[in-house]
Amino acid sequence: MEKVACRTPAEGRDGVTNIPAWKFECLRKAILDQLAAGDIAFADLREAVRARLTRQELDDLGSLGWHMTAVKLELEVRGEVRRLKGVSPQMLTLGEPQ
């Protein structure tokens, strides 16, 4: 099964989580579609992504929160998603793909 390495943008943290490619692409699309509709607080992202997935996708994913966070972090590393600086709670917006 093909896997995608999901990295973290945090300096000094070089751990990698490998998740199945289909899970990565499924969640990547849902996250990017949500952000295309507007910026969102990270705390609200899980439910927004949940609403964009089918019941079957949710069942097949297993842990939505864990997988979504891993994909979101990798999208930050790639520059597809970025955090808005100086705001609380943490807000996300679309970035520039690298």
Side-chain angles (χ1 to χ4, degrees):
M1 174 182 297
E2 183 182 353
K3 298 210 175 206
V4 173
C6 294
R7 302 159 292 166
T8 179
E11 192 172 320
R13 298 192 60 194
D14 54 358
V16 173
T17 300
N18 294 301
I19 65 172
W22 77 265
K23 288 183 181 187
F24 178 84
E25 291 303 329
C26 176
L27 289 169
R28 178 181 175 273
K29 181 180 182 331
I31 291 169
L32 294 178
D33 285 351
Q34 179 59 47
L35 289 174
D39 300 345
I40 190 167
F42 177 64
D44 298 331
L45 186 60
R46 181 178 176 177
E47 289 309 311
V49 166
R50 179 185 301 281
R52 291 181 176 277
L53 300 175
T54 67
R55 179 79 248 151
Q56 187 63 53
E57 288 169 329
L58 287 167
D59 289 346
D60 291 344
L61 277 171
S63 174
L64 173 61
W66 184 88
H67 285 98
M68 184 203 71
T69 300
V71 171
K72 189 268 304 179
L73 290 170
E74 175 61 21
L75 295 179
E76 285 185 57
V77 170
R78 293 179 179 198
E80 294 182 78
V81 169
R82 66 182 174 84
R83 297 177 194 191
L84 295 174
K85 296 188 185 294
V87 296
S88 183
Q90 181 186 125
M91 295 289 294
L92 303 170
T93 191
L94 285 175
E96 301 278 330
Q98 296 177 349

